[in-house]
Amino acid sequence: MATISDVAKVRRERGSLSRRDTLGTGVRLASAWARVWAQPQWAGLLALLIYGAVAEIHRPLLVATSAAYYNYLADAFLHGQLWLRQVPPQTLDLVLYHGHYSLYWGPLPSLLLLPLVALFGVGFSDVLTTAVVGALNVALVAAILQAATARRVVRLTRRQRGLLVLFFALGTVQLPLAPQGRVWAIDQLVGFACVALAYLAALRYRGWWAFGLTGVALAGAVLTRDHLVLAGVWPAWYLAREHWGWRWRGLLARLGTAAAPIVGAVGLLGGYDWLRFGNALNNGIPYHQMNVAFRADYARYGFFSLHYVPINLYYQYVFYPLPLRPESTMGGSLLLMSPVFVLAGVGVVRGWRQGSTWALVSSIVLVNLPILLLMGTGWMQYGPRYTLDFTVPLLLLTALGVRRVPHWTLALLTVVSIAQFSGSALPYLHLVSWLR
């Protein structure tokens, strides 16, 4: 006959098994969810739904903000003008030259918006624009990791790829930028897309197509945020290595194919600025209507200076913006807010003998140099938004480190990153809206 202690023991064992089954089911569901994000089409769709929902909570998704400047430049282009034909509701950061308004940012986003502005006018929602481009970026990251794994540049499981994509979508500065609208977010998101397309073209194609498409994508980066061309160090290294067996004349010809559209983009920018300001090297920065907070520093140190390096380093790598306060709009530590990127350090240590590692490091450092010298930290922002400029090579470097740690470590760091961004992105968007 069973004793009371035997019955209690059986109940404890059943309870333990039940808890293990529940935990196992949760782990399997989380793993399946992560693997969904590894697929570019699903990752992009899920990101679009999330960004659209966040944007709609913050403000109407289909209503333009007061800083939809690219729409106004597209309208000017459609009417054969380089100066804005209509003046936006606000003019902060616009260029004012001889009584005419223009933009100092590159013109590519406006060129892409031409058909939409032609159909819907300058009132086309820039919030919808950033949500769609942000979702495209998530899909591109998934495609890059997929192609990099297939090419053995990195070695990731499908679950690891999915976690990295999920981390990028919801645990980096991508999250507060994508539902935001406004010229500043569009500029960065389109620039990221161009760099991502360059990396994807280098990984996915071979021969003339690889060089040509990579060059076209980097030309797009030049026409959006010109310093992003420096992120092309890794694609250039990778393409040269993959085609090293060719005769040197053939390799040089293909490198010339990649360089041609980039040189053309530089020439186009120079001509655009010459027509506006009579100087191919002047993009309008001296005439832009900067916030009063920057005027004293600009008058003393200019737009780029070593003077800005300490403050930019602080707000990009040290400062922690939580709990939210007015200073939180200055930025935030890249590694504290997105701790998954700590694994990039593991990637460097483990891959220090590989040329690919140092090409990625070079891409990151070169893109970051002008950011550190720049007047202003990216204010107003939540997180270090300028780091998005070098996030593509940083993600690949992180992927090199991911294979050296257990799956649960990546999952935990992803959850921490998402918690810090998703928990504060919405109040941050309200704070920015109120301050602006």
Side-chain angles (χ1 to χ4, degrees):
M1 178 179 293
T3 64
I4 293 176
S5 62
D6 290 334
V7 172
K9 182 178 180 181
V10 169
R11 286 178 176 175
R12 285 196 300 272
E13 290 175 348
R14 287 177 177 175
S16 178
L17 287 172
S18 177
R19 285 191 296 273
R20 283 200 294 270
D21 288 343
T22 301
L23 179 61
T25 300
V27 170
R28 286 192 294 273
L29 288 173
S31 180
W33 174 245
R35 288 196 295 270
V36 168
W37 283 86
Q39 304 174 62
Q41 66 276 22
W42 284 109
L45 178 59
L46 289 169
L48 180 60
L49 293 174
I50 292 170
Y51 296 155
V54 172
E56 184 63 35
I57 293 171
H58 165 61
R59 62 180 304 135
L61 176 63
L62 301 180
V63 175
T65 71
S66 60
Y69 298 160
Y70 281 121
N71 289 0
Y72 288 83
L73 183 58
D75 171 74
F77 288 162
L78 287 169
H79 289 83
Q81 299 178 194
L82 299 180
W83 305 99
L84 301 192
R85 195 175 64 94
Q86 305 179 54
V87 179
Q90 69 164 319
T91 58
L92 177 66
D93 272 350
L94 283 179
V95 172
L96 180 60
Y97 183 74
H98 290 176
H100 299 290
Y101 284 103
S102 187
L103 282 65
Y104 67 79
W105 300 276
L108 180 63
S110 290
L111 296 175
L112 298 176
L113 286 167
L114 285 176
L116 294 170
V117 173
L119 287 172
F120 303 106
V122 295
F124 179 77
S125 172
D126 54 331
V127 181
L128 181 61
T129 298
T130 56
V132 170
V133 177
L136 171 64
N137 287 347
V138 174
L140 287 172
V141 166
I144 287 170
L145 293 177
Q146 189 179 67
T149 303
R151 297 290 186 187
R152 296 187 177 276
V153 173
V154 298
R155 296 186 180 184
L156 299 173
T157 66
R158 186 173 174 181
R159 180 168 58 181
Q160 287 172 325
R161 296 201 324 264
L163 284 171
L164 279 175
V165 175
L166 180 60
F167 157 69
F168 169 72
L170 303 179
T172 69
V173 291
Q174 166 82 5
L175 178 59
L177 285 173
Q180 188 179 140
R182 301 185 173 90
V183 66
W184 303 276
I186 295 175
D187 175 60
Q188 285 212 261
L189 293 169
V190 172
F192 179 96
C194 291
V195 172
L197 285 169
Y199 277 64
L200 184 60
L203 286 164
R204 184 165 287 182
Y205 296 98
R206 284 294 176 269
W208 292 100
W209 279 108
F211 287 89
L213 292 175
T214 300
V216 168
L218 289 175
V222 170
L223 291 172
T224 307
R225 294 172 65 80
D226 52 10
H227 69 284
L228 291 182
V229 71
L230 300 172
V233 170
W234 186 85
W237 176 89
Y238 180 76
L239 288 174
R241 190 201 67 173
E242 290 297 297
H243 299 83
W244 197 252
W246 293 0
R247 293 181 178 179
W248 66 270
R249 288 183 179 177
L251 180 57
L252 287 178
R254 285 160 177 78
L255 286 172
T257 301
I262 298 173
V263 172
V266 172
L268 183 62
L269 272 184
Y272 176 57
D273 292 335
W274 183 80
L275 289 172
R276 293 188 300 164
F277 308 113
N279 185 343
L281 300 179
N282 182 358
N283 67 352
I285 283 291
Y287 318 114
H288 87 286
Q289 307 299 290
M290 69 186 72
N291 190 289
V292 66
F294 298 117
R295 290 176 185 171
D297 278 347
Y298 180 77
R300 185 171 182 181
Y301 303 106
F303 199 63
F304 288 98
S305 171
L306 289 172
H307 170 78
Y308 305 124
V309 172
I311 189 172
N312 286 329
L313 282 173
Y314 174 71
Y315 283 110
Q316 193 164 295
Y317 296 109
V318 179
F319 174 71
Y320 191 64
L322 296 177
L324 283 178
R325 53 200 185 277
E327 192 184 5
S328 297
T329 58
M330 294 291 288
S333 169
L334 175 68
L335 299 181
L336 291 178
M337 298 187 68
S338 300
V340 173
F341 284 139
V342 171
L343 300 179
V346 179
V348 172
V349 172
R350 294 294 185 178
W352 70 273
R353 294 182 178 179
Q354 300 173 13
S356 180
T357 300
W358 295 110
L360 289 170
V361 170
S362 299
S363 297
I364 294 166
V365 170
L366 289 173
V367 172
N368 197 30
L369 282 177
I371 293 172
L372 293 177
L373 295 169
L374 183 68
M375 178 185 72
T377 64
W379 178 78
M380 300 170 180
Q381 62 189 323
Y382 179 69
R385 73 176 176 93
Y386 285 151
T387 63
L388 188 70
D389 288 354
F390 55 78
T391 292
V392 176
L394 184 58
L395 278 169
L396 282 179
L397 199 58
T398 302
L400 292 175
V402 163
R403 65 185 292 252
R404 302 291 182 174
V405 299
H407 279 65
W408 67 264
T409 302
L410 175 60
L412 178 61
L413 293 175
T414 299
V415 169
V416 172
S417 301
I418 292 174
Q420 295 187 102
F421 274 94
S422 62
S424 302
L426 192 59
Y428 158 75
L429 288 172
H430 282 292
L431 177 62
V432 168
S433 178
W434 178 74
L435 289 172
R436 279 185 175 155

